[in-house]
């Protein structure tokens, strides 16, 4: 089973993805974590990605498409995975669809975490005080929210045609949202 968790920055994708991956025994692929690790290790990918991430912009498809393909080809993801943080652009969505189709798979569920902008901003400001992520500055947060609306939110319409998008109210507590996801997935 392949499940995509979609939502604005700060909507709880990472939080819910982790709970869901543990419950279903599936690997979680998180492009944000992979890119942050590359930045910490100062690899060529990390040095290139950092300029975009710190500004709250998407890392260009030219860099991310290869990364996505490699992750989806990992043996652990051969029968299913939780996709957290990608696809984020139309080109990434096409790549995910075609890569899964090569093995006779497709996305089964898309969980769209629906959180008000006030709450998104509150969460990211709260995190900036505890985790010190370099893209949780007021300027980068504003850019990330704009980029989400421009590049990623249109993917909802792309997937809605297939009838696999589930809108999940995301303003509640972590446990309430996890329960709602369990109800939607049916396990
Ligand atoms: P991500 O790491 O994916 O970051 P994000 O979209 O900003 O999500 P975030 O981690 O903040 O949200 P989450 O909802 O988990 O990407 C970071 C950057 O990497 C991007 O801006 C981009 O530059 C680059 N990137 C990543 N993937 C890419 C791709 N495919 N293509 C191009 N570039 C890419 O966290 C929410 C916070 O709220 C947490 O602190 C959590 O503790 C808290 N929270 C969660 N649920 C809550 C709840 N119910 N109540 C209260 N707080 C909650």
């Amino acid at each position: 089973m392949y499940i995509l968790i979609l939502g604005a920055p700060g909507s709880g994708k990472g939080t819910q993805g982790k709970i869901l991956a543990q419950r279903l025994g599936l690997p979680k692929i998180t492009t944000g974590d992979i890119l942050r690790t590359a930045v910490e290790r100062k690899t060529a990918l990390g040095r290139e990605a950092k300029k975009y991430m710190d500004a709250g912009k998407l890392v260009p498809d030219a860099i991310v498409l290869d990364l996505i393909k490699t992750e989806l080809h990992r043996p652990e993801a051969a029968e299913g995975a939780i996709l957290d943080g990608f696809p984020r652009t139309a080109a990434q969505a096409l790549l995910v669809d075609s890569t899964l189709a090569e093995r006779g798979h497709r996305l089964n569920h898309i969980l769209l975490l629906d959180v008000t902008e006030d709450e998104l901003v509150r969460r990211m400001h709260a995190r900036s005080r505890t985790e010190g992520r370099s893209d949780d500055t007021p300027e980068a947060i504003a850019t990330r929210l704009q980029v989400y609306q421009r590049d990623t939110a249109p993917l909802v319409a792309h997937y809605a045609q297939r009838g696999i998008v589930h809108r999940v109210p995301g303003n509640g507590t972590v446990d309430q949202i996890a329960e709602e996801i369990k109800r939607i997935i049916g396990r």
Side-chain angles (χ1 to χ4, degrees):
M1 188 189 286
Y2 291 88
I3 301 175
L4 160 61
I5 307 201
L6 199 59
S11 59
K13 300 183 296 286
T15 307
Q16 294 301 329
K18 190 170 165 199
I19 296 170
L20 190 57
Q22 276 172 359
R23 195 170 70 236
L24 300 182
L26 289 173
K28 179 162 89 78
I29 306 173
T30 308
T31 41
D33 285 351
I34 296 167
L35 290 167
R36 274 186 290 278
T37 302
V39 170
E40 270 166 38
R41 292 185 182 157
K42 298 191 169 64
T43 64
L45 167 68
R47 285 197 301 272
E48 187 59 21
K50 185 173 168 39
K51 339 180 234 210
Y52 299 98
M53 294 173 78
D54 285 355
K57 295 180 179 165
L58 291 182
V59 179
D61 282 339
I63 298 174
V64 173
L65 290 178
D66 269 354
L67 175 84
I68 289 176
K69 196 153 192 155
T70 305
E71 291 299 316
L72 287 176
H73 274 120
R74 284 193 194 285
E76 346 29 312
E79 292 304 324
I82 308 296
L83 278 50
D84 164 13
F86 77 99
R88 264 175 148 99
T89 64
Q92 293 179 23
L94 288 175
L95 180 75
V96 169
D97 288 347
S98 63
T99 307
L100 295 183
E102 280 167 19
R103 295 198 305 250
H105 293 299
R106 62 187 172 82
L107 285 172
N108 301 97
H109 297 286
I110 294 176
L111 302 168
L112 175 62
L113 294 178
D114 195 6
V115 178
T116 54
E117 189 158 319
D118 284 356
E119 175 65 7
L120 295 172
V121 171
R122 191 198 65 75
R123 287 182 192 176
M124 287 186 275
H125 282 303
R127 184 170 61 189
S128 73
R129 290 190 287 274
T130 53
E131 290 182 25
R133 240 172 75 165
S134 58
D135 59 350
D136 279 340
T137 60
E139 299 76 20
I141 288 171
T143 303
R144 284 155 68 200
L145 290 169
Q146 282 168 9
V147 168
Y148 174 77
Q149 288 305 335
R150 190 189 65 203
D151 294 338
T152 309
L155 299 183
V156 176
H158 167 79
Y159 290 120
Q161 293 166 359
R162 296 192 214 164
I164 54 170
V165 176
H166 312 274
R167 200 169 281 271
V168 182
N171 267 32
T173 66
V174 171
D175 288 348
Q176 284 167 341
I177 299 162
E179 269 307 306
E180 177 61 10
I181 290 176
K182 192 173 176 182
R183 193 189 64 74
I184 291 169
I185 304 286
R187 44 195 275 229

